[in-house]
Amino acid sequence: MGLPHTAVLIFGLLCVFQLSHSSSDNDFTKVRAVNLGGWLVVEGWIKPSLFDGIPNGDMLDGTQVQLKSVALQKYVSAAGGGGGRVAVDQDVASSWETFKLWRVSDSEFQFRSLSGQFLTRSNDDVISATTDSPGDSETFFIERNNSLLHIKLLNGRYLQVTNNNQLTSNYHSQPGWGDDVATFEMTIVANYLRGDYQLANGYGPVQAKSVLTEHRKSFVTVKDFHLLSQSKINAVRIPVGWWIAYDPDPPAPFVGGSLDNLDRAFHWAQIFGLKCIIDLHAAPGSQNGMEHSASRDGSVDWPSEANIQKSLDVINFLAQRYADNPSLLGIELLNEPSAGAVPLDILVSYYKRGYKIVRSYSETAYVIFCQRIGNADPMELYQADLGPTNTVVDLHYYNLFDPYYEKLNATENIRVAYKNRLPQVQALNSANGPLVFIGEWVNEWNVANASQAQYQLFGKAQLEVFGEASFGWSYWTVRCNSVHWDYEWNLRNRYLIIGSSTLGRPHYMILVTGCLVYLLSILT
């Protein structure tokens, strides 16, 4: 027997051993999970190298740019934010002078104004921002010399500025970089979206398929499931994108292959005695405008009947496929809908319809409803009567993303867990309705130069408080370029210590941690 076959046999025996020592359903009490973030839904900050090979990689979908005429030294402006004329008449750039890129190829782009209309050429060659759906007349070739641009229509004519501050498309010859009327200086204002849309559309279908296939194969493996099972973890929360229901040939520009990997995750979970929560992380149209919801340009277009129905179809697909799988614990209907862009009544209606779909395939799978992010009270979901059995509300707690946390020291951050978070968790536990799930949290904060001991105290405080949640918690995320977000790095380097005693005696450990926080406040 050769070495590879021996290794397979040894691994198989280890799997059998693991199965015999895994947590059974009988002792599965609360969820202690880790998110598999950045795997089947791309987030560029989790693995920035995914985007390294994209040409013109600073001009991906959603990049916000401002264009300044070299000749007039004034900015291109869509008056009122779009819907009418475009002039080159502003000395200072703000929202009307900012355009979002839609990428057609590495050299072809469309420019979307603040109100959503695209730059277009009219019959008299004057450029306006009046088209809602872009086509050939809204597509421009970009010739680039660092920050300088020539902008050409598909008919071969270039944009230029006139003395009366108009933007026209009647510059007929090939301009040089000294031809100021046809040269523009581009300022990149924001370039933060690095999601599935940007990756797939940036590389193009062939290269994107290659990049994502390798990423999905290597970023999360069977070894991770083994490590998780050995570190007192009993479940994984797996973010997926809506295009998974159309595998292997999802709508452009998305790339197939995520469904095979989700199947593989369920297989690994069964081997190591873990449960799976499927989380619809990226819904059609984007429910929050962020890269992890696969937004093209930061817009939130999910709250339409077409996109909601498409989302329900995805839930139907997932529930039907996995309802009878022994590793399925629950299905989360939508991740982090935006409070500012998703009305509560629309969300509640969607959640009720999604609940019924899951129940049509399973009476036992948990149906999980994520709280809206932004200015929203989680109690609003407890008052909505979303479903009678096995329901869960998911809250995400981060000591980040809010100016409130920027100036807190270590002791103050820990105090937030006990004084702010614990009472809310306990109040929701006591509410008449769904179970409480802290579906995302992380052992990271804005404290500069924090010591390992301080991180350990912060992690312990969160474990204790979130351990009070009636359904449990899930850490974000299994692996990350930013190490303090990386569960495995935290575990290996003992910045986060997870053990059965920590979770088994929460009230006792809260008392102990409280004493440690007090001592820390004296010493710091």
Side-chain angles (χ1 to χ4, degrees), residues 48-368:
S49 61
L50 284 173
F51 293 80
D52 286 350
I54 298 178
N56 274 338
D58 59 346
M59 296 180 69
L60 299 177
D61 285 283
T63 300
Q64 297 178 27
V65 301
Q66 295 165 345
L67 303 173
K68 186 177 185 180
S69 165
V70 171
L72 301 182
Q73 287 296 295
K74 293 182 182 295
Y75 288 94
V76 176
S77 177
R85 71 180 185 90
V86 169
V88 189
D89 60 357
Q90 296 300 306
D91 295 318
V92 178
S94 185
S95 56
W96 292 1
E97 295 72 45
T98 302
F99 301 90
K100 295 178 180 179
L101 295 180
W102 278 27
R103 183 179 175 116
V104 179
S105 72
D106 61 355
S107 59
E108 297 170 278
F109 298 87
Q110 296 156 346
F111 296 86
R112 194 181 194 193
S113 67
L114 175 68
S115 298
Q117 296 83 14
F118 291 84
L119 294 189
T120 185
R121 177 187 65 89
S122 60
N123 291 332
D124 58 358
D125 290 332
V126 173
I127 301 298
S128 63
T130 53
T131 302
D132 294 325
S133 299
D136 286 350
S137 294
E138 293 73 43
T139 301
F140 301 87
F141 284 100
I142 298 296
E143 297 172 359
R144 188 174 182 185
N145 181 9
N146 296 317
S147 65
L148 297 180
L149 304 181
H150 295 148
I151 305 172
K152 181 172 66 172
L153 277 166
L154 298 184
N155 64 11
R157 296 182 181 180
Y158 289 85
L159 301 194
Q160 66 171 338
V161 296
T162 65
N163 289 333
N164 61 349
N165 301 100
Q166 281 193 317
L167 184 64
T168 65
S169 59
N170 51 9
Y171 195 99
H172 293 274
S173 60
Q174 169 76 47
W177 296 109
D179 296 329
D180 291 350
V181 295
T183 302
F184 301 84
E185 183 179 359
M186 178 181 69
T187 300
I188 295 176
V189 180
N191 186 23
Y192 59 87
L193 291 175
R194 291 287 187 278
D196 280 274
Y197 204 104
Q198 286 73 29
L199 186 147
N201 207 36
Y203 277 116
V206 175
Q207 186 66 10
K209 179 75 172 179
S210 174
V211 169
L212 280 179
T213 297
E214 176 57 32
H215 168 66
R216 291 164 178 166
K217 181 176 67 176
S218 59
F219 191 70
V220 173
T221 71
V222 66
K223 294 179 181 178
D224 298 302
F225 279 67
H226 177 253
L227 174 64
L228 294 177
S229 70
Q230 293 297 302
S231 64
K232 309 300 182 182
I233 295 301
N234 58 21
V236 287
R237 180 174 179 258
I238 310 174
V240 301
W242 63 270
W243 54 92
I244 196 171
Y246 301 85
D247 242 302
D249 298 306
F254 298 104
V255 173
S258 56
L259 184 60
D260 284 344
N261 285 279
L262 183 58
D263 286 343
R264 192 170 293 117
F266 269 82
H267 175 65
W268 294 335
Q270 191 167 4
I271 289 174
F272 293 107
L274 302 178
K275 296 293 186 181
C276 295
I277 296 169
I278 308 174
D279 156 42
L280 182 56
H281 215 69
S286 174
Q287 71 276 18
N288 55 35
M290 299 181 187
E291 65 182 27
H292 56 70
S293 62
S295 176
R296 181 169 192 173
D297 68 1
S299 301
V300 180
D301 298 322
W302 179 79
S304 72
E305 184 53 39
N307 284 331
I308 289 171
Q309 184 56 57
K310 189 181 292 185
S311 302
L312 293 170
D313 292 342
V314 175
I315 297 301
N316 187 84
F317 170 82
L318 294 170
Q320 183 179 38
R321 187 178 185 89
Y322 296 104
D324 296 327
N325 192 300
S327 295
L328 178 68
L329 180 63
I331 295 177
E332 186 156 357
L333 301 179
L334 190 65
N335 178 70
E336 294 188 345
S338 166
V342 178
L344 180 61
D345 59 336
I346 291 177
L347 182 65
V348 166
S349 173
Y350 168 74
Y351 278 165
K352 288 182 176 180
R353 294 161 72 185
Y355 174 86
K356 291 179 180 178
I357 289 172
V358 176
R359 282 290 163 265
S360 70
Y361 295 103
S362 172
E363 290 298 321
T364 58
Y366 288 93
V367 184
I368 304 173

Side-chain angles (χ1 to χ4, degrees), residues 371-446:
Q371 175 195 9
R372 294 189 297 169
I373 57 172
N375 187 20
D377 184 349
M379 190 59 72
E380 67 188 18
L381 296 181
Y382 284 82
Q383 299 165 344
D385 191 24
L386 298 173
T389 60
N390 283 15
T391 57
V392 178
V393 166
D394 178 8
L395 289 73
H396 296 173
Y397 282 140
Y398 292 101
N399 284 31
L400 297 157
F401 313 127
D402 189 305
Y404 172 77
Y405 300 108
E406 291 177 1
K407 296 182 180 180
L408 298 187
N409 61 29
T411 302
E412 291 165 338
N413 271 277
I414 294 168
R415 190 177 295 127
V416 164
Y418 292 112
K419 288 193 173 182
N420 296 30
R421 304 273 165 72
L422 182 59
Q424 184 176 61
V425 169
Q426 291 173 333
L428 294 176
N429 280 342
S430 302
N432 183 22
L435 298 172
V436 182
F437 181 40
I438 313 304
E440 292 185 19
W441 65 277
V442 67
N443 198 34
E444 182 60 305
W445 47 14
N446 287 317

